[in-house]
Amino acid sequence: MIKNSKLPNIPTSIFAKMSKMAANHNALNLSQGFPNFPSDPALNALVDQAMRDGFNQYAPMAGDFELRMEISEKIENLHNHFYNPDTEITITAGATQAIYTIIAATISKGDEVIIFTPAYDCYAPTVELFGGKIVPIQLKPPFYGVDWQEVADKISSKTKMIIINSPHNPSGTLLTKDDMLELQDLAEKNDLLVLSDEVYEHIIFDGNIHQSVSRFKALAERSFITASFGKTFHNTGWKMGYCAAPKYLMKEFQKVHQFVVFCVNYPFQKGFATYLKDANHYLKLSDFYQQKRDFFLHLMKGSNFKIIPSKGTYFQMLDFSEISNESDITFAERLTKAHKIATIPTSVFNEGKRDFKQIRVCFAKTDETLAEAAKILKEL
Ligand SMILES: Cc1ncc(COP(=O)(O)O)c(C=O)c1O
């Protein structure tokens, strides 16, 4: 056993736990956030071709230049902000590595980092690993909105960074333009960095617009964006993503990136470089997932769950307070073992593990799976 573990209180992630329980009990797995349909064969063929073409050695440290150019163009077309592909974009092993690298490059002992809970589970441990202190702000159901006065009150002379995530996992809510303007104002006044986790940027419903930090000039100047191809192109197992940031921040990012991975795998980058040239591959994603959300919600009509439709991501929160008094963990475990459906109890992402009686389901599943899932859930 190691003395002085750097992360003494970190259990196995809830995703690993629930997926294992789903497999052990032969349950439908709506817990972890991954699609159960395939990555596009045309994209797979491009990766295959890149291997045949010999892109099997180290890629450039910041990533394939052609891919960085495509990403730069995509952001400029969507948000009217130019990231120089040469100095302001790095290809990463998924968003997780980008998040780790950003925090490693910027957070030192004693720095405070504000996160909004429920929060994706890699933020807090990574901040703690580098001696930073998490300052959580709990968002509350059913709308999980941000009270910017509360944020202002939590900012101290030690606050170095705010982490945001919109569209938000697990609540499926969005930050609005007004939210972003409030954030911009606070970040400027208090000289804060922003880590904007935008992995669900292309999964946004009901005609809403993704309010990327890159749309706000002064905010973009002090922000890192993280993105995930796995979420956008149905291949989470490839662990591919990127980070975009102004040059002075990207310089610090790359100092760390080169010693974390040096570079990420080449043939996949080559495949994405060609695939991204057709904007439909990501622009049609919102419609695709909105259909899935609507299909699932339609099937759930008349159920005993209280449901506020997700506005983005491929997650839907289900409030089970009218079904059971159990803790969300007990409820989710019982669903897996007795009813053969695995979900995520969301208290694990909350400040002090607060239990709002909400479970999260992932609807990135085939219609057959969603129909089977809704049938089980409606009987509760
Ligand atoms: C909010 C959020 N950020 C980051 C990630 C990690 O993305 P990746 O698989 O590209 O590392 C996820 C994955 O579920 C996520 O939901």
Side-chain angles (χ1 to χ4, degrees):
M1 212 172 79
I2 189 169
K3 277 191 206 159
N4 304 328
S5 163
K6 293 194 77 178
L7 294 171
N9 302 316
I10 300 293
T12 311
S13 110
I14 189 69
F15 306 115
K17 186 179 157 188
M18 293 312 293
S19 279
K20 185 158 179 263
M21 202 184 289
N24 288 347
H25 293 272
N26 204 14
L28 279 183
N29 190 359
L30 265 57
S31 61
Q32 212 172 353
F34 64 88
N36 73 341
F37 35 82
S39 160
D40 184 349
L43 172 57
N44 301 353
L46 289 170
V47 173
D48 184 49
Q49 189 58 48
M51 287 185 197
R52 291 171 199 276
D53 289 346
F55 292 99
N56 298 307
Q57 308 307 329
Y58 293 125
M61 188 267 278
D64 179 59
F65 191 66
E66 196 190 351
L67 176 56
R68 284 184 279 148
M69 281 200 305
E70 289 301 327
I71 293 167
S72 169
E73 213 173 286
K74 170 172 96 80
I75 299 176
E76 194 171 17
N77 288 341
L78 291 175
H79 305 304
N80 198 23
H81 184 89
F82 176 69
Y83 286 95
N84 186 332
D86 199 22
T87 53
E88 300 188 315
I89 292 172
T90 300
I91 312 302
T92 59
T96 310
Q97 187 239 309
I99 293 164
Y100 181 92
T101 306
I102 292 164
I103 292 170
T106 58
I107 299 305
S108 308
K109 194 165 188 296
D111 288 340
E112 293 183 359
V113 177
I114 292 179
I115 63 167
F116 297 99
T117 53
Y120 186 62
D121 64 350
C122 77
Y123 307 149
T126 311
V127 167
E128 281 158 21
L129 211 46
F130 293 96
K133 181 172 171 255
I134 285 289
V135 177
I137 295 182
Q138 180 65 50
L139 308 179
K140 301 195 186 68
F143 299 114
Y144 293 91
V146 177
D147 173 350
W148 291 101
Q149 186 53 53
E150 188 183 354
V151 181
D153 294 344
K154 290 267 169 82
I155 293 173
S156 78
S157 57
K158 292 187 184 152
T159 312
K160 180 85 176 272
M161 175 183 276
I162 298 190
I163 301 181
I164 58 167
N165 168 222
S166 179
H168 182 240
N169 173 13
S171 74
T173 54
L174 307 175
L175 291 174
T176 62
K177 185 175 176 190
D178 284 348
D179 286 320
M180 300 307 279
L181 291 172
E182 296 268 12
L183 172 66
Q184 177 166 261
D185 191 42
L186 284 180
E188 275 196 287
K189 270 192 196 136
N190 297 285
D191 193 19
L192 306 178
L193 295 173
V194 174
L195 190 170
S196 184
D197 181 349
E198 303 188 8
V199 298
Y200 300 104
E201 62 186 320
H202 297 300
I203 312 179
I204 197 148
F205 310 136
D206 308 319
N208 283 299
I209 289 173
H210 170 51
Q211 299 292 343
S212 169
V213 287
S214 60
R215 298 175 85 86
F216 303 85
K217 197 168 183 304
L219 201 47
E221 274 310 304
R222 49 181 67 250
S223 297
F224 293 93
I225 293 176
T226 62
S228 171
F229 291 136
K231 299 292 182 187
T232 304
F233 300 116
H234 316 315
N235 38 41
T236 55
W238 291 6
K239 291 301 293 186
M240 294 287 296
Y242 63 88
C243 178
K247 186 176 173 183
Y248 77 103
L249 293 179
M250 188 49 73
K251 198 170 155 208
E252 297 304 312
F253 180 96
Q254 290 182 350
K255 283 183 194 170
V256 177
H257 175 80
Q258 63 185 330
F259 298 122
V260 175
V261 281
F262 182 71
C263 64
V264 299
N265 74 65
Y266 212 170
F268 288 83
Q269 295 192 54
K270 278 290 176 200
F272 281 122
T274 307
Y275 198 69
L276 277 177
K277 290 187 200 304
D278 181 352
N280 281 323
H281 287 141
Y282 48 88
L283 295 181
K284 290 198 165 156
L285 196 67
S286 289
D287 284 349
F288 173 78
Y289 276 120
Q290 184 163 333
Q291 271 174 26
K292 294 222 168 274
R293 180 202 65 171
D294 291 347
F295 177 65
F296 180 66
L297 291 183
H298 174 72
L299 294 172
M300 289 292 286
K301 271 205 180 111
S303 89
N304 290 317
F305 288 97
K306 282 191 273 178
I307 304 176
I308 304 239
S310 169
K311 291 182 174 170
T313 74
Y314 45 49
F315 301 115
Q316 177 64 56
M317 291 288 240
L318 304 176
D319 177 321
F320 65 90
S321 57
E322 284 176 7
I323 298 174
S324 167
N325 287 329
E326 289 160 293
S327 76
D328 64 351
I329 293 178
T330 309
F331 183 67
E333 287 182 0
R334 183 164 66 82
L335 288 194
T336 312
K337 291 175 187 166
H339 297 273
K340 308 288 177 208
I341 183 163
T343 60
I344 293 286
T346 58
S347 61
V348 296
F349 307 128
N350 286 335
E351 158 65 353
K353 309 264 180 282
R354 256 178 97 170
D355 182 1
F356 294 111
K357 311 284 180 216
Q358 310 248 328
I359 53 170
R360 187 200 79 178
V361 293
C362 170
F363 55 81
K365 305 294 168 192
T366 59
D367 288 356
E368 297 74 51
T369 303
L370 292 176
E372 245 183 286
K375 188 163 177 280
I376 299 172
L377 293 169
K378 265 184 88 169
E379 279 169 11
L380 295 167

